[in-house]
């Protein structure tokens, strides 16, 4: 690992707003990181246009072209290692990664999830928080472990659930916090990698 600049890859599957927030943060002069690539598993992901507009390299690895999770993960792993990636940020990457892949990147694989983990792993987190009558909801950035949406928590941000909230209005407030939480968590991880905390 270079002492001055950690080589980062961002993985996404859809709209790419967290990818954009991270890319914007990494581009700041005082962040000791370099965005070497983004990868998406979906050729139709909206985030691809964001990358094109910003001049960010984006590799498409369509999971439908592979006949097993292992084969897809092997291709992903090879692509990241060929680019000398040192830290992977999953940002709305909606694909389960195999245990072998995850264990190959110990504490070098981060994820963001739209709930206050360990609550509501998986999908439809905003709807589930509303149905449970939760007063608080939020997002979590965590180190990834082979279990879905699990691993040591780095940053959590909460939002209040308001009367009349729908899954969409709640999601709008949570995503704002996601865009703050992920850069904050990245800074903490970079400091740890540099041995300064
Ligand atoms: C975000 O809300 C992110 O937390 C979630 O997908 C959305 C992606 O939005 N990720 C997960 O649910 C992972 N389990 P984005 O493409 O605009 O960043």
């Amino acid at each position: 690992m270079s002492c001055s600049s950690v080589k980062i890859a961002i993985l996404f599957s859809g709209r790419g707003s967290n990818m954009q927030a991270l890319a914007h943060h990494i581009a700041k002069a005082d962040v000791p990181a370099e965005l070497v690539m983004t990868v998406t598993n979906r050729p139709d992901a909206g985030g691809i246009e964001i990358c094109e507009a910003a001049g960010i390299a984006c590799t498409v690895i369509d999971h439908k072209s592979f006949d097993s999770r292992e084969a897809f993960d092997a291709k992903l792993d090879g692509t990241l290692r060929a680019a000398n990636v040192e830290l992977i940020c999953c940002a709305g990457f909606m694909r389960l990664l195999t245990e072998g892949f995850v264990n190959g990147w110990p504490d070098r694989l981060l994820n963001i999830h739209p709930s206050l983990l360990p609550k509501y792993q998986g999908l439809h987190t905003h709807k589930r928080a509303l149905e449970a009558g939760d007063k608080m909801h939020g997002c979590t950035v965590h180190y990834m472990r082979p279990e879905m949406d699990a691993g040591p928590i780095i940053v959590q941000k909460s939002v209040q659930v308001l009367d009349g909230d729908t899954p969409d209005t709640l999601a709008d407030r949570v995503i704002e916090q996601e865009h703050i939480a992920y850069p904050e968590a990245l800074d903490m991880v970079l400091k740890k990698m540099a041995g300064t905390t």
Side-chain angles (χ1 to χ4, degrees), residues 10-26 35 38 40 45-51 56 89-94 112 114 126 139 171-183:
I10 304 175
L11 274 46
F12 66 94
S13 299
R15 177 178 58 178
S17 74
N18 276 293
M19 177 271 294
Q20 188 172 31
L22 275 177
H24 180 72
H25 184 68
I26 293 166
L35 180 57
T38 64
T40 184
I48 296 172
E49 276 181 27
I50 296 176
C51 291
I56 297 167
C89 298
C90 293
F93 186 65
M94 305 304 280
I112 188 157
H126 310 304
C139 63
D172 286 347
R173 291 205 306 290
V174 171
I175 198 86
E176 277 177 24
Q177 293 305 309
E178 293 189 42
H179 298 162
I180 298 167
Y182 218 157

